[in-house]
């Protein structure tokens, strides 16, 4: 028996009846011979980790644009925290850890430079708008390597629907919706305190009584509650008390950190930078990479190029194009 087949048998024996079994995937966009060693979801995870879009996440903003300190989160470290939290939840619920990890690692591949300010910038100028979850799906289906990664339906569905009104079709995908929020709420508090944007005494006392005083306690409470409540209800979710405390803490972050704080002081510049680059490439299409699809229009090509940039590369391109250089001696 192949190692992959042994792994598939273990899934059938050990996982919950509600789990997504890799042997029963809805398949890939283009059929491929199965790997003799890895299950389909393990294969997807590996493809994501080895792709260029994943490596670029280390130079993309999470909240703080071009921070001076070494310990602020980036889009990559956020992604790794989501993957760790989601695997813990999936393991406890006897769901498919490999599927959950693959979705977690791929969920932000399409995120813009400069975090959500970059997303807002493109959303304002690109025809039809811009959403990072749909761009992440485009990365794995079309852009990466010139033809996409050819991932399974379950991974692509989880990436596309990790945010927004439509929920993923698998319980593993729905874990990511919660793990993403658990990760960013807690690490953004940690980063905001480190930056002096807020102090611990400002955190809502009612939330702390439910969730805990420390970073570690809050993550533990959220994850533990999610596991226990999901076991009882047969679907992924938190208890009403913990959900309300989590939502209140998120609203606090919007009020004190995400909108109008010193953390966002450079946000307007970042948005103008990306929008000026976008207009420049519309006027100078010869500077764009070749179209990923023959049918892609100019706006789509410019959007794909800019969304794939790291913070530093976007600044470099802007400087090259718009900042005058001294006359050489």
């Amino acid at each position: 028996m192949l190692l992959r087949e042994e792994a598939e048998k273990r899934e059938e024996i050990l996982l919950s009846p509600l789990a997504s079994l890799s042997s029963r995937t809805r398949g890939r966009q283009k059929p491929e011979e199965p790997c003799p060693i890895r299950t389909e979801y393990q294969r997807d995870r590996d493809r994501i980790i080895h792709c260029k879009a994943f490596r670029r996440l280390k130079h993309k903003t999470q909240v703080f644009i071009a921070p001076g300190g070494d310990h602020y989160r980036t889009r990559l470290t956020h992604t790794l925290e989501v993957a760790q939290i989601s695997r813990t939840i999936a393991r406890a619920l006897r769901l498919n850890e490999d599927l959950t990890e693959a979705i977690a690692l791929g969920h932000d591949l399409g995120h813009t430079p400069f975090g959500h300010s970059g997303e807002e910038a493109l959303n304002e100028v690109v025809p039809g708008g811009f959403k990072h979850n749909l761009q992440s799906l485009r990365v794995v289906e079309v852009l990466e390597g010139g033809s996409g990664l050819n991932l399974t339906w379950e991974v692509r569905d989880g990436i596309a629907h990790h945010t927004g009104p439509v929920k993923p079709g698998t319980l593993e995908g729905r874990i990511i919706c919660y793990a993403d929020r658990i990760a960013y709420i807690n690490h953004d508090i940690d980063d905001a305190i480190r930056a002096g944007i807020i102090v611990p005494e400002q955190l809502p006392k009612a939330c702390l009584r439910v969730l805990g005083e420390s970073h570690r306690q809050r993550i533990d409470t959220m994850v533990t509650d999610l596991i226990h409540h999901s076991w009882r209800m047969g679907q992924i979710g938190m208890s009403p008390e913990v959900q309300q405390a989590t939502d209140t803490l998120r609203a606090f972050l919007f009020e004190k950190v995400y909108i109008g704080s010193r953390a966002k002081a450079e946000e307007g510049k970042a948005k103008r930078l990306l929008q000026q680059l976008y207009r420049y490439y519309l006027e100078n299409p010869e500077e764009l990479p070749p179209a990923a699809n023959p049918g892609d229009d100019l706006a789509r090509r410019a959007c794909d190029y800019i969304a794939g940039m790291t913070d530093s590369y976007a600044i470099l391109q802007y400087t090259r194009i718009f900042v005058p250089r001294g006359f050489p001696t």
Side-chain angles (χ1 to χ4, degrees), residues 29-211:
Q29 291 173 291
K30 293 173 286 188
E32 295 183 25
E33 284 295 318
C35 174
I37 297 173
R38 298 166 296 169
T39 68
E40 297 294 350
Y41 302 142
Q42 290 170 346
R43 202 177 193 183
D44 285 355
R45 175 203 59 204
D46 294 350
R47 289 181 180 183
I48 291 168
I49 287 175
H50 288 281
C51 77
K52 290 187 290 187
F54 183 78
R55 295 197 294 275
R56 290 198 299 271
L57 294 177
K58 67 181 177 180
H59 296 304
K60 291 194 177 190
T61 290
Q62 175 60 26
V63 171
F64 293 88
I65 296 174
D70 292 332
H71 299 135
Y72 292 98
R73 270 73 171 188
T74 65
R75 190 62 54 178
L76 178 60
T77 56
H78 162 72
T79 294
L80 296 176
E81 291 188 32
V82 175
Q84 177 270 315
I85 290 170
S86 64
R87 285 200 69 128
T88 297
I89 296 168
R91 185 182 302 117
L93 295 176
R94 291 172 50 215
L95 297 176
N96 198 309
E97 290 183 56
D98 295 323
L99 172 56
T100 304
E101 184 180 32
I103 298 169
L105 294 173
H107 82 284
D108 270 355
L109 289 178
H111 224 302
T112 58
F114 308 121
H116 286 286
S117 60
E119 183 173 22
E120 292 169 9
L122 291 184
N123 189 52
E124 290 171 6
V125 295
V126 174
F130 179 92
K131 294 186 181 298
H132 78 271
N133 55 314
L134 299 182
Q135 188 68 15
S136 296
L137 182 65
R138 181 168 170 80
V139 167
V140 300
E141 287 189 340
V142 178
L143 299 179
E144 184 64 36
S147 58
L149 298 176
N150 197 30
L151 305 181
T152 58
W153 178 90
E154 292 79 7
V155 174
R156 290 183 284 116
D157 171 74
I159 289 172
H161 300 128
H162 78 270
T163 187
V166 179
K167 299 303 178 188
T170 65
L171 293 181
E172 289 84 356
R174 295 181 189 187
I175 286 174
I176 305 303
C177 301
Y178 284 89
D180 185 27
R181 186 164 291 194
I182 291 171
Y184 77 67
I185 286 174
N186 286 287
H187 67 49
D188 290 353
I189 289 174
D190 190 43
D191 281 355
I193 291 172
R194 176 177 292 107
I197 303 297
I198 59 174
V199 294
E201 290 74 23
Q202 288 179 273
L203 297 173
K205 297 296 186 293
C207 295
L208 301 188
R209 283 194 292 272
V210 173
L211 301 174

Side-chain angles (χ1 to χ4, degrees), residues 4 20 27 76 145 159 235 245 306 310 317-318:
R4 171 184 51 78
S20 301
L76 178 60
I159 289 172
Q235 58 186 4
I306 293 170
T310 61
Q317 291 301 96
Y318 183 89

